[in-house]
Amino acid sequence: MRKRAYILLLLLCVGLSAMAQSTRVRGRVTDVEGNPLAYASVVFKGTMVGMFTDEEGSYSLETREAVDTLQVLMLGYQTEERVVKRAAFTELNFQMKANDFAIDQVVVTPGENPAFPILDAVIARKKRNNPDHYESYSTETYTKMELGLTNIKEAFRNKRMQRNFGFIFEYVDTSALTGRRYLPAMISETRADYYHSLSPSVDREVIRANRVSGVEDTFSIAQFTGQMPGNVNFYDNFIDIFNVRFASPLADGGRMFYNYFLIDSLDIEGRKSYKIRFHPKGLSTPVLDGEMHIDAESYALKNVTARLPRKSNINWIKHLVLENVNTMVDSIHWMRARDRVQAEFTISMRDSSKLTSFIGTREVAYSNTRVGVELPHEVVRMDNNVVVKSSEEVHDDSYWNEVRPYALSEREQGIYHMVDSIQQAPLYRNIYTIINTIVVGHYNTKYIGIGPYYKMASFNDLEGFRPQLGGRTTAAFSRRVRFSAYGAYGTKDERWKGGGGVELMLGKGQLTRKLTAKGSHDVMQLGAGANALTDNNILSSIFSRGDQRLSMVDRGEFQYEHEWRHGLSTFVGGQLRRIYSNRYVPMVEGVSSLEEPLFREYVHDASLSLGMRFSINEKIYRSAFDKRSLGSIYPIFTVSGTMGLKNLLPDSPEYYRLEGTLFYRPELPPMGHSEILVQAGQIWGDVPYPLLKLHEGNGTYFYDPYAFSCMDYYEFASDRWVALFFEHHFGGALLGKIPLLKRLKLREVAVAKCVWGTLSERNDGSLATTEASLRFPPSMSSVSKPYFEAGFGIENIFRLVRVDFVWRLSHRDVRPDGHKPQNFAINASLHFDF
């Protein structure tokens, strides 16, 4: 069930969620001649639920309030009203009639935009009205999320589909977001307590209960209910949705991005409010389009509705609507009452597309809010921003009926049963198996997963064609221990390879306590980047540019990871290695009295290691045996130390190695974001060159952000080094302003990489009279003269492809041995980004 949760999670991570049975209406507003009327006010009569039409006169509204009339107003036109069906979808198109009136001459004089003083007052009072600036508060939250499928064709209802899924068509409904019929595919509910404090700094969600249709193990999903976009804060200068930083209409510098219009002043529930429309000045940076109500007394945000403008440089999202409603909880403080994110995700952005797409909404309702309260000590002591409590407890329908702020419709209540029933259908199980295999890399039976499929066939210069077969146990076999093994054969070297391992989970809580032991007899590429394609991957074979210098390695290792708290882990391990020489990676004795070179068959390495990893507010996805970082707004530090054990294996050297890394991803809106990796380290002791720091080359046409595109394998080595990998992603801020190119929605990237390192004489195997135990392979040397390369990339080509053009800026000359370095490289890569 964990894998099933993971597959569903991938869909949810795109921003998914809750379409309740509510009153929904959608349509267009035009004049009598059919010309669209932009910025007409469309509102449910007697409420604050409304919006302005877009440039094409389109609108869509949805509310749970008891409404029955829709009203359209626009200056110069007669007001129109229509009756709507409650708790249903209605499509209403309006043709507005112009008013007949005569006016005298009008003189327009320049002056300040009347919306500006109001916005200035809102910005000046942010600290007083923004809940994130309150000393402390706590609130209860109820989150409902639902995923639906649109464009379900009639052909879908063939005999086979009716036999497997005929019952699901009873649940088809119409979305106000798109005006198209959709089929609910998943629903989830979460009950949580949210705590905030400035001192000590705490923003923590404690999940009390969670359930997802069709998923028995909800822990994996529950981790993300607090991390999904939903509680969007419009007081922030930029709003982060799906890793896209939208400029907020209430940003301090909002006038750079938006035009503002004061539309009206209203008296609602005895308090005057201003209605302000905001419209983007351009689309080269992520912006929104919508309207908001500002309280005239406190200048607090009462509510806002914002939409994604058409032709925005955003991938995979055709429609996006953000809604935020705030209310006063006492005579001073404003707090969130409801947040809603609704989106349509699709491959094709054309309105005429008939491809199936996903519709999702995430809705959060807040209740029992208390401002100025002291947070419970047990909450302050927690070390994760999203904590899942009572994950083993099963809550029945009566519990959910009690905690919901509104009742589910009969249709919604039936979705749980519908989705559970779908998963029993044979056709669903076949489709699920295919998708699961693609995502996790293994074809899973109940207890054994066969794969990974991308290593089942590959080829290289050393082995020739290499078939491989492997497998591992699944979580259904055990959630505490996982076994894995594989075997492979090279048709050129005619040798068998293989390996196996065991992973043991020692802790029962959310923090990792993991012991891993592995052994292998196989080839590997020493000096490859951390993000390089894995060894023996079919793609690394197909896209190799000929620089393959693989080594046969016998390796046995163990590692124990102990996560002390969220963001702080230590690990201890040990390793035994025998690295063999071959014609591509020769091992020649450095000091020899013989005239003929003395070749060594292999070198040994025996070592112990100790390390630590530290992060702050890092988002992490955890599964039964693995965890994956989803990033942090703060730098992430890693430090490790290794000690070589002398003569534990024959001639294994004694040495000491200290390494540290810093990774930082600063956001720099509206000019995109940077990705920075700094590495530094030193080795003390005499070691053969395979144990030195072999700087990361790239032997393929795939782009590796943490390897040097123009550097060959075994080109540079160091025993003391510092390296920098830098990228800046502009997100289309430059190309989006060029008239012809902006339609392609291309995005630009700047790349710069450098490394400096030295070698002590006892480790420098490139010297003619070297003291090193092994001579360096041809063309390998120190990098005491810094190596630089830089370039640029174009990403978002067809929304998936990135192409980089990189130039070597130093070490460009032909080597004394005749080796000609690669001074220019073109690399490609695939990226799934919004």
Side-chain angles (χ1 to χ4, degrees):
M1 301 307 294
R2 174 78 61 168
K3 296 305 178 186
R4 183 175 300 166
Y6 181 67
I7 297 297
L8 301 180
L9 174 64
L10 291 183
L11 299 175
L12 284 170
C13 281
V14 215
L16 305 173
S17 208
M19 283 156 255
Q21 191 70 10
S22 54
T23 301
R24 287 151 290 135
V25 61
R26 177 183 172 87
R28 292 187 71 209
V29 178
T30 65
D31 60 19
V32 292
E33 296 179 354
N35 300 311
L37 294 180
Y39 313 132
S41 177
V42 185
V43 61
F44 285 116
K45 189 174 182 179
T47 73
M48 294 180 63
V49 181
M51 65 174 291
F52 291 96
T53 56
D54 61 20
E55 292 87 347
E56 298 184 3
S58 299
Y59 73 92
S60 63
L61 290 174
E62 184 169 354
T63 184
R64 299 182 190 279
E65 298 185 29
V67 296
D68 56 14
T69 303
L70 189 69
Q71 189 178 62
V72 180
L73 307 94
M74 189 170 186
L75 184 63
Y77 291 85
Q78 298 177 16
T79 299
E80 295 280 348
E81 293 184 358
R82 298 278 186 86
V83 175
V84 299
K85 298 178 182 178
R86 289 188 182 182
F89 172 80
T90 307
E91 183 170 353
L92 292 177
N93 297 317
F94 293 83
Q95 283 192 326
M96 305 288 286
K97 297 179 180 179
N99 283 322
D100 295 326
F101 58 88
I103 59 175
D104 295 330
Q105 178 179 348
V106 176
V107 178
V108 179
T109 59
E112 184 180 29
N113 186 328
F116 288 171
I118 301 172
L119 293 169
D120 291 339
V122 173
I123 293 171
R125 292 166 173 79
K126 276 187 178 182
K127 288 188 177 181
R128 190 177 73 179
N129 295 322
N130 185 355
D132 288 354
H133 290 160
Y134 295 166
E135 285 296 326
S136 65
Y137 69 82
S138 66
T139 185
E140 297 178 6
T141 65
Y142 167 81
T143 303
K144 185 158 72 72
M145 300 174 26
E146 186 179 307
L147 170 67
L149 303 177
T150 67
N151 287 336
I152 303 299
K153 301 178 182 179
E154 289 300 320
F156 190 73
R157 302 193 185 200
N158 57 38
K159 291 183 179 180
R160 186 179 182 188
M161 295 303 296
Q162 288 286 354
R163 182 172 64 251
N164 285 277
F165 303 123
F167 59 91
I168 70 176
F169 295 102
E170 301 173 6
Y171 296 88
V172 172
D173 204 346
T174 304
S175 168
L177 181 70
T178 65
R180 296 180 179 180
R181 294 174 65 77
Y182 71 92
L183 175 68
M186 177 189 296
I187 185 172
S188 76
E189 297 178 279
T190 301
R191 159 70 179 89
D193 296 328
Y194 189 86
Y195 300 91
H196 164 82
S197 171
L198 291 182
S199 182
S201 179
V202 174
D203 282 288
R204 185 154 295 138
E205 185 171 22
V206 181
I207 295 175
R208 303 298 182 183
N210 177 263
R211 70 170 178 173
V212 182
S213 57
V215 180
E216 295 177 3
D217 177 12
T218 62
F219 175 73
S220 298
I221 303 296
Q223 295 176 73
F224 283 84
T225 57
Q227 301 183 34
M228 303 291 292
N231 52 338
V232 174
N233 192 344
F234 281 85
Y235 286 111
D236 292 339
N237 288 330
F238 293 89
I239 300 169
D240 193 347
I241 298 287
F242 313 122
N243 289 325
V244 179
R245 303 272 287 182
F246 292 90
S248 170
L250 294 181
D252 296 346
R255 298 179 200 180
M256 296 172 54
F257 308 101
Y258 296 101
N259 292 313
Y260 296 92
F261 308 92
L262 177 59
I263 302 300
D264 202 354
S265 61
L266 306 170
D267 192 334
I268 301 175
E269 298 179 353
R271 295 184 69 94
K272 181 180 178 180
S273 65
Y274 300 110
K275 187 172 187 178
I276 297 177
R277 170 162 177 76
F278 51 92
H279 184 69
K281 290 184 175 181
L283 301 178
S284 59
T285 57
V287 287
L288 300 165
D289 190 4
E291 55 278 333
M292 54 189 167
H293 287 86
I294 305 297
D295 183 68
E297 181 178 337
S298 63
Y299 290 96
L301 176 66
K302 296 187 72 172
N303 63 65
V304 58
T305 300
R307 295 166 295 279
L308 180 69
R310 294 175 179 269
K311 300 181 181 179
S312 295
N313 190 357
I314 305 297
N315 293 329
W316 317 114
I317 302 177
K318 183 185 293 186
H319 297 94
L320 173 67
V321 176
L322 310 180
E323 299 177 19
N324 167 244
V325 178
N326 301 301
T327 186
M328 293 192 75
V329 295
D330 50 38
S331 59
I332 301 176
H333 300 99
W334 288 81
M335 283 294 300
R336 299 182 183 95
R338 184 175 66 87
D339 284 310
R340 198 162 187 259
V341 177
Q342 191 173 15
E344 180 188 13
F345 306 93
T346 180
I347 296 176
S348 174
M349 307 301 287
R350 295 178 302 173
D351 291 334
S352 60
S353 173
K354 300 300 182 181
L355 293 176
T356 299
S357 61
F358 297 96
I359 293 181
T361 310
R362 181 180 193 267
E363 187 168 2
V364 185
Y366 303 84
S367 60
N368 296 331
T369 299
R370 298 182 298 163
V371 180
V373 299
E374 183 178 355
L375 270 59
H377 293 296
E378 62 270 19
V379 173
V380 175
R381 288 196 301 266
M382 293 175 181
D383 58 8
N384 195 342
N385 285 344
V386 179
V387 179
V388 182
K389 290 291 186 181
S390 304
S391 59
E392 301 299 327
E393 185 178 353
V394 177
H395 299 279
D396 57 18
D397 290 339
S398 61
Y399 170 85
W400 291 105
N401 291 334
E402 181 180 347
V403 301
R404 291 188 191 108
Y406 46 80
L408 293 184
S409 66
E410 293 184 7
R411 182 188 301 274
E412 288 178 311
Q413 294 175 15
I415 293 176
Y416 282 102
H417 173 72
M418 179 196 73
V419 175
D420 291 338
S421 299
I422 285 177
Q423 295 182 357
Q424 304 305 316
L427 181 58
Y428 168 85
R429 291 198 297 267
N430 293 337
I431 296 173
Y432 172 84
T433 298
I434 295 173
I435 296 176
N436 185 73
T437 301
I438 295 173
V439 171
V440 304
H442 288 72
Y443 172 79
N444 285 339
T445 63
K446 184 175 183 180
Y447 297 119
I448 301 294
I450 301 172
Y453 62 84
Y454 49 81
K455 288 190 174 185
M456 298 185 73
S458 61
F459 53 89
N460 57 71
D461 292 339
L462 182 65
E463 299 176 281
F465 177 68
R466 172 195 166 109
Q468 175 176 314
L469 183 64
R472 66 184 185 187
T473 58
T474 66
F477 173 83
S478 173
R479 305 185 66 83
R480 304 279 301 192
V481 60
R482 180 167 70 180
F483 298 96
S484 60
Y486 74 93
Y489 181 77
T491 59
K492 186 175 182 179
D493 62 358
E494 298 181 341
R495 298 179 66 177
W496 287 95
K497 297 92 177 175
V502 58
E503 300 162 80
L504 179 63
M505 306 302 295
L506 302 177
K508 293 185 178 181
Q510 299 176 31
L511 299 179
T512 300
R513 311 279 197 273
K514 181 179 178 180
L515 177 64
T516 304
K518 296 187 292 185
S520 64
H521 170 73
D522 205 348
V523 299
M524 63 181 299
Q525 178 64 65
L526 302 179
N531 277 28
L533 294 175
T534 56
D535 293 323
N536 309 313
N537 187 318
I538 184 60
L539 292 179
S540 64
S541 301
I542 295 174
F543 294 99
S544 171
R545 56 183 175 87
D547 184 28
Q548 292 180 325
R549 304 177 75 174
L550 300 170
S551 299
M552 176 65 75
V553 180
D554 293 335
R555 181 171 56 175
E557 59 183 320
F558 78 91
Q559 178 177 287
Y560 173 68
E561 179 185 0
H562 190 102
E563 191 173 12
W564 300 92
R565 55 171 295 167
H566 184 78
L568 178 62
S569 299
T570 57
F571 52 89
V572 60
Q575 182 174 242
L576 301 175
R577 288 192 298 172
R578 175 183 291 170
I579 305 172
Y580 292 88
S581 67
N582 57 55
R583 61 185 180 277
Y584 303 107
V585 188
M587 298 181 182
V588 182
E589 293 281 1
V591 180
S592 175
S593 58
L594 302 177
E595 294 183 2
E596 294 294 327
L598 182 61
F599 289 90
R600 190 183 297 188
E601 183 180 357
Y602 51 76
V603 296
H604 279 136
D605 174 38
S607 63
L608 294 175
S609 59
L610 179 68
M612 180 187 73
R613 187 180 186 276
F614 175 73
S615 65
I616 300 175
N617 292 344
E618 183 181 13
K619 296 179 181 179
I620 295 178
Y621 166 69
R622 302 174 187 271
S623 59
F625 296 96
D626 305 301
K627 61 181 181 180
R628 177 186 176 191
S629 172
L630 299 180
S632 170
I633 62 174
Y634 301 102
I636 299 174
F637 300 91
T638 304
V639 62
S640 64
T642 303
M643 178 179 67
L645 304 177
K646 186 175 183 179
N647 293 329
L648 183 65
L649 294 177
D651 297 323
S652 60
E654 177 184 2
Y655 64 92
Y656 301 89
R657 178 171 178 150
L658 181 65
E659 294 181 86
T661 64
L662 179 151
F663 177 78
Y664 185 36
R665 188 183 187 273
E667 297 285 350
L668 302 170
M671 296 301 293
H673 71 273
S674 296
E675 295 180 6
I676 304 169
L677 178 69
V678 179
Q679 300 175 334
Q682 184 165 348
I683 300 172
W684 293 270
D686 302 344
V687 296
Y689 72 82
L691 305 187
L692 292 171
K693 171 63 175 180
L694 302 175
H695 294 294
E696 297 85 351
N698 188 348
T700 72
Y701 291 104
F702 263 88
Y703 179 74
D704 183 352
Y706 307 127
F708 298 96
S709 297
C710 296
M711 184 184 294
D712 294 328
Y713 295 129
Y714 292 99
E715 186 172 353
F716 297 108
S718 303
D719 56 18
R720 183 174 57 170
W721 66 95
V722 176
L724 170 67
F725 301 88
F726 172 82
E727 290 185 4
H728 185 79
H729 300 252
F730 291 90
L734 304 178
L735 294 178
K737 292 180 171 62
I738 302 175
L740 295 179
L741 292 180
K742 67 180 182 181
R743 298 184 62 183
L744 300 177
K745 299 183 179 180
L746 302 176
R747 303 172 185 175
E748 54 285 288
V749 185
V751 177
K753 304 176 183 181
C754 63
V755 61
W756 169 84
T758 61
L759 279 170
S760 58
E761 289 189 2
R762 62 181 181 273
N763 287 327
D764 191 350
S766 66
L767 301 176
T769 56
T770 181
E771 299 178 14
S773 59
L774 291 180
R775 293 186 178 276
F776 283 180
S779 304
M780 182 168 149
S781 66
S782 167
V783 67
S784 55
K785 174 186 175 182
Y787 173 93
F788 293 96
E789 67 179 29
F792 69 91
I794 304 296
E795 57 184 353
N796 210 43
I797 303 171
F798 307 117
R799 288 185 283 168
L800 284 173
V801 179
R802 168 177 166 178
V803 178
D804 286 84
F805 306 87
V806 184
W807 288 264
R808 180 190 288 232
L809 304 180
S810 62
H811 297 274
R812 296 175 57 89
D813 298 332
V814 177
R815 300 296 176 83
D817 62 359
H819 175 73
K820 185 178 181 180
Q822 182 178 359
N823 292 327
F824 174 70
I826 299 178
N827 295 134
S829 53
L830 300 177
H831 300 268
F832 187 91
D833 297 320
F834 287 98

